[in-house]
């Protein structure tokens, strides 16, 4: 399957994800464009070009593998990851279409060179066509689809390189960023914590509504039909098999009739012993079935068997096994909601009351800060970049707006602000240049893609959002 390619160091090339769309573990929410009815057969259409569900699944697996490698718990993130996967594919398709307009599509020679660079396709130091085709088959791909994927990735890189060539950053921008990070502040931090309680009723309700997110034993939903050769005769049985195969391909419902019997309709747990008493011959075929190859034909002397894969199935883990995860998730959601409520409440009160009156009402925890660099201060309290910018603008003797922090809300009372020395700025300028460039370029690319989106006809299949 494609996830095997995703984990292969030699095939990382085909898993290119543009920096603007996915950085670290940050997930960008899907922008919903036009929601189409039954007209779209794929996941989405971008200016008439369809994005298939197969592409979406591969992108989903790519992101999921990346997050898992970083130790991220994916239990409740399935919808978010699918949204991000579609957003990535839409962005890539827009860039590809723009590259075609600019005449910088990757050539056949570039694609060939890229394929020849994969060690996985070599045997005894030589490129092996057999190994190449075998690797693609195991990933559910044919050569034309694989080559098109590489062409798109190369082309997308071409246009990003072109955009980067016209992009620059000044020393003043680096100095401005450095000052924000290295300026030392002194004063007091008023910490307004948020306390939360999670009841057993809330835990049970969440579990019932999200059972499918707590996957335990994994299986495949399989239907098996038997065509009786003995009863129908070989020619009639073969014709019936062709008809059934076409109907299964089109997801049409089948009715039992003479010579045709449904002999199995259940979930198969491949790794479980005593699998619904299915013969090994069936299990062998079921192991090969997937979303890419969802029908299999098994021939025997007296019968034909058609096996249809209808989707993955995960048996939910019991509540006691996932209770801690549910508490952790609900705690984050509740704390975030209550923190925002408290933030808005404090903002309103600060307009009418002075800080000391608010302190009397709430009795927050107070911590002294002395000559602490803003970059360390923001990390310590979990402040956003916007909060850092606002604190940097404060004058000594003033009080900040309330800011969301890790676990609640904070207000800063500034008594002193000390800018970094010229020596410090000079020392950090070189090391920070790459960081500032990446931050600015990511913003620049995202703005470029946002403009393309506004000028494009993008329609999404509503099934993706379910």
């Amino acid at each position: 399957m494609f996830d095997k390619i995703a984990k292969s160091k030699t095939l990382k090339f085909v898993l290119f994800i543009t920096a603007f769309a996915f950085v670290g573990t940050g997930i960008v929410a899907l922008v919903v464009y036009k929601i189409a009815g039954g007209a779209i057969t794929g996941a989405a259409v971008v200016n008439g070009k369809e994005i298939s569900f197969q592409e979406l699944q591969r992108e989903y697996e790519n992101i999921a593998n990346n997050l898992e490698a970083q130790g991220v718990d994916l239990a409740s993130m399935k919808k978010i990851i699918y949204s991000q996967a579609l957003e990535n594919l839409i962005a890539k398709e827009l860039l590809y279409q723009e590259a075609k307009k600019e005449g910088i599509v990757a050539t056949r020679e570039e694609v060939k060179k890229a394929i020849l660079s994969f060690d996985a396709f070599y045997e005894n130091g030589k490129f092996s066509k057999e190994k190449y085709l075998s690797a693609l088959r195991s990933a559910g791909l044919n050569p034309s689809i694989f080559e098109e994927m590489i062409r798109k990735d190369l082309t997308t890189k071409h246009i990003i390189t072109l955009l980067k060539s016209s992009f620059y950053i000044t020393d003043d921008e680096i100095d401005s960023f450095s000052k924000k990070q290295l300026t030392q502040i002194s004063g007091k931090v008023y910490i307004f914590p948020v306390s939360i309680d999670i009841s057993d009723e809330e835990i049970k309700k969440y579990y019932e509504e999200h059972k499918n997110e707590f996957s335990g034993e994994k299986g495949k939903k399989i239907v098996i039909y038997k065509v009786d050769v003995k009863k129908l005769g070989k020619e009639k049985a073969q014709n019936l098999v062709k008809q059934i195969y076409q109907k299964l391909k089109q997801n049409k419902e089948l009715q039992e009739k003479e010579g045709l019997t449904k002999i199995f309709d259940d979930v198969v747990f491949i790794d479980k012993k005593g699998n619904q008493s299915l013969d090994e011959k069936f299990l062998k075929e079921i192991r090969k079935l997937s979303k890419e190859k969802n029908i299999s034909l098994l021939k025997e002397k007296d019968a034909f068997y058609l096996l249809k894969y209808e989707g993955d199935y995960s048996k939910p883990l019991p509540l006691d096994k996932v209770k801690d995860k549910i508490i952790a998730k609900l705690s984050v959601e509740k704390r975030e909601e209550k923190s925002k409520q408290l933030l808005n409440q404090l903002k309103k009160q600060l307009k009418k009351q002075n800080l000391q009156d608010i302190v009397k009402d709430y009795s927050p925890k107070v911590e002294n800060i002395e000559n602490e660099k803003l970059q360390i201060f923001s990390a310590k309290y979990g402040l956003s970049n916007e909060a850092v910018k606002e604190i940097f603008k404060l004058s000594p003797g003033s009080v900040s707006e309330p800011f969301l922090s890790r676990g609640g809300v904070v207000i800063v009372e500034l008594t002193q602000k000390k800018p970094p020395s010229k020596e410090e700025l000079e020392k950090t300028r070189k090391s920070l240049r790459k960081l500032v460039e990446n931050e600015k370029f990511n913003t620049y690319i995202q703005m470029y893609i946002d403009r393309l989106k506004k000028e494009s006809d993008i329609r999404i299949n509503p099934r993706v959002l379910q």
Side-chain angles (χ1 to χ4, degrees):
M1 296 304 296
F2 194 79
D3 58 346
K4 291 178 183 174
I5 284 188
K7 293 170 185 173
S8 168
K9 290 180 181 177
T10 55
L11 293 180
K12 284 288 184 185
F13 182 84
V14 300
L15 302 177
F16 165 67
I17 302 178
T18 48
F20 57 83
F22 183 69
V23 183
T25 60
I27 298 290
V28 181
L30 174 68
V31 178
V32 179
Y33 309 94
K34 295 177 186 175
I35 305 298
I40 298 178
T41 55
V45 174
V46 180
N47 296 324
K49 175 66 179 175
E50 185 177 273
I51 294 171
S52 69
F53 276 103
Q54 189 180 20
E55 289 176 274
L56 180 63
Q57 184 60 31
R58 283 199 292 266
E59 188 71 9
Y60 171 88
E61 290 170 2
N62 186 12
I63 296 173
N65 288 333
N66 193 313
L67 288 169
E68 280 186 318
Q70 296 174 63
V72 177
D73 182 11
L74 306 183
S76 59
M77 295 181 67
K78 190 173 181 179
K79 284 186 180 179
I80 297 173
I81 297 173
Y82 267 116
S83 294
Q84 179 61 57
L86 185 57
E87 187 73 5
N88 283 5
L89 292 171
I90 288 171
K92 189 184 287 188
E93 182 59 39
L94 287 167
L95 287 172
Y96 181 66
Q97 291 178 14
E98 200 66 14
K100 285 173 77 174
K101 291 178 190 175
E102 297 292 331
I104 53 174
V105 175
T107 64
R108 289 180 66 183
E109 281 304 309
E110 285 178 296
V111 173
K112 182 180 177 182
K113 187 178 177 182
I115 292 171
L116 291 173
S117 70
F118 297 145
D119 294 339
F121 302 150
Y122 280 74
E123 192 169 26
N124 300 323
K126 292 183 179 179
F127 181 84
S128 167
K129 188 175 180 181
E130 188 178 329
K131 284 198 78 174
Y132 171 61
L133 295 175
S134 175
L136 296 192
R137 275 195 301 271
S138 68
L141 298 168
N142 63 46
S144 61
I145 291 175
F146 181 68
E147 287 162 22
E148 185 61 22
M149 285 169 59
I150 291 180
R151 181 175 287 104
K152 274 196 175 183
D153 282 344
L154 283 171
T155 302
T156 307
K157 285 184 176 181
H158 285 347
I159 194 165
I160 286 177
T161 301
L162 182 67
L163 290 168
K164 206 159 192 174
S165 66
S166 62
F167 171 84
Y168 67 94
I169 191 160
T170 66
D171 286 344
D172 285 343
E173 287 177 291
I174 295 169
D175 285 347
S176 177
F177 181 85
S178 301
K179 284 175 184 175
K180 280 202 253 337
Q181 297 295 309
L182 301 178
T183 290
Q184 295 179 0
I185 60 171
S186 298
K188 290 181 180 179
V189 183
Y190 297 86
I191 304 163
F192 299 78
V194 170
S195 59
I196 53 166
D197 293 308
I198 309 295
S199 68
D200 287 340
E201 287 73 21
E202 288 176 296
I203 295 167
K204 287 175 186 174
K205 184 183 177 186
Y206 187 91
Y207 176 74
E208 291 301 324
E209 291 175 354
H210 300 82
K211 270 186 179 179
N212 61 325
E213 295 173 5
F214 303 110
S215 58
E217 199 170 17
K218 294 183 179 180
K220 298 177 181 180
K221 176 72 168 64
I222 301 293
V223 180
I224 304 176
Y225 293 94
K226 177 184 176 181
V227 176
D228 196 324
V229 176
K230 223 173 188 181
K231 188 178 285 186
L232 297 173
K234 192 171 182 181
E235 187 177 344
K236 196 173 179 182
Q238 286 176 336
N239 289 333
L240 182 57
V241 166
K242 288 177 185 176
Q243 293 171 27
I244 296 167
Y245 189 87
Q246 287 303 316
K247 286 185 178 180
L248 290 176
K249 271 287 182 189
Q250 295 164 13
N251 293 317
K252 290 183 178 178
E253 195 173 334
L254 294 178
Q255 299 294 329
E256 291 189 11
K257 58 184 178 179
E258 186 185 4
L260 175 63
T261 314
K262 183 194 286 186
I263 63 168
F264 186 84
D265 186 355
D266 205 348
V267 176
V268 177
F269 299 99
I270 297 293
D271 299 322
K272 185 178 178 181
K273 292 181 180 179
N275 244 302
Q276 288 93 2
S277 303
L278 280 176
D279 292 340
E280 181 57 37
K281 65 185 179 186
F282 293 123
L283 294 177
K284 187 177 179 182
E285 291 300 311
I286 290 168
R287 288 187 185 99
K288 300 174 189 175
L289 292 175
S290 65
K291 289 179 182 177
E292 285 74 30
K293 186 199 174 185
N294 62 351
I295 301 173
S296 179
L297 174 63
L298 184 62
K299 299 178 183 178
E300 291 198 335
K301 185 179 178 182
D302 296 328
F304 293 120
Y305 297 96
L306 286 129
L307 296 81
K308 172 78 182 290
Y309 163 90
E310 294 195 334
D312 291 329
Y313 173 85
S314 293
K315 188 177 181 181
L317 290 166
L319 177 57
D320 62 308
K321 297 283 186 185
V322 295
K323 189 174 181 179
D324 289 343
K325 281 186 179 180
I326 294 173
I327 292 171
K329 177 163 180 58
L330 288 176
S331 296
V332 170
E333 290 176 356
K334 262 194 166 183
R335 185 171 284 110
E336 186 177 334
E337 185 183 345
K338 288 189 77 174
S339 294
K340 285 178 180 177
Q341 289 172 357
L342 177 60
L343 178 77
N344 292 329
Q345 194 174 317
L346 288 170
K347 278 184 177 180
K348 288 176 184 176
Q349 286 186 245
L350 267 176
K351 290 177 181 178
K352 300 174 183 177
Q353 298 174 269
N354 61 43
L355 179 59
Q356 294 313 312
D357 288 336
I358 291 172
V359 167
K360 287 175 187 176
D361 292 339
Y362 289 88
S363 300
K365 182 182 177 184
V366 183
E367 291 183 356
N368 291 314
I369 48 173
E370 188 174 348
N371 294 329
E372 196 157 311
K373 289 180 180 176
L374 263 174
Q375 62 181 5
I376 296 170
F377 176 77
S378 63
K380 182 178 175 181
Y381 294 99
L383 302 179
S384 67
N385 286 334
E386 288 305 311
V388 173
K389 287 178 186 176
E390 292 304 312
I391 294 169
F392 177 71
K393 292 176 188 175
L394 284 179
S395 302
S398 59
V399 173
S400 76
E401 286 282 304
F403 301 118
L404 286 175
S405 69
R406 193 181 296 108
V409 178
V410 298
I411 294 176
V412 178
E413 185 178 22
L414 194 69
T415 57
Q416 189 179 13
K417 187 166 74 170
K418 183 181 175 185
S421 64
K422 287 184 180 179
E423 291 76 15
E424 279 183 294
L425 286 176
E426 193 62 42
K427 189 178 178 181
T428 57
R429 182 179 287 150
K430 189 177 286 186
S431 61
L432 285 175
R433 177 174 286 276
K434 196 68 181 173
L435 176 66
V436 179
E437 278 182 355
N438 286 340
E439 187 178 280
K440 186 179 176 182
F441 187 64
N442 285 347
T443 303
Y444 172 66
I445 285 288
Q446 190 59 59
M447 288 171 64
Y448 180 76
I449 291 168
D450 288 342
R451 179 179 64 78
L452 293 178
K453 286 174 184 173
K454 287 177 183 177
E455 298 169 356
S456 300
D457 177 25
I458 301 171
R459 291 176 292 145
I460 295 174
N461 191 322
R463 285 170 56 198
V464 177
L465 307 175
Q466 292 171 356

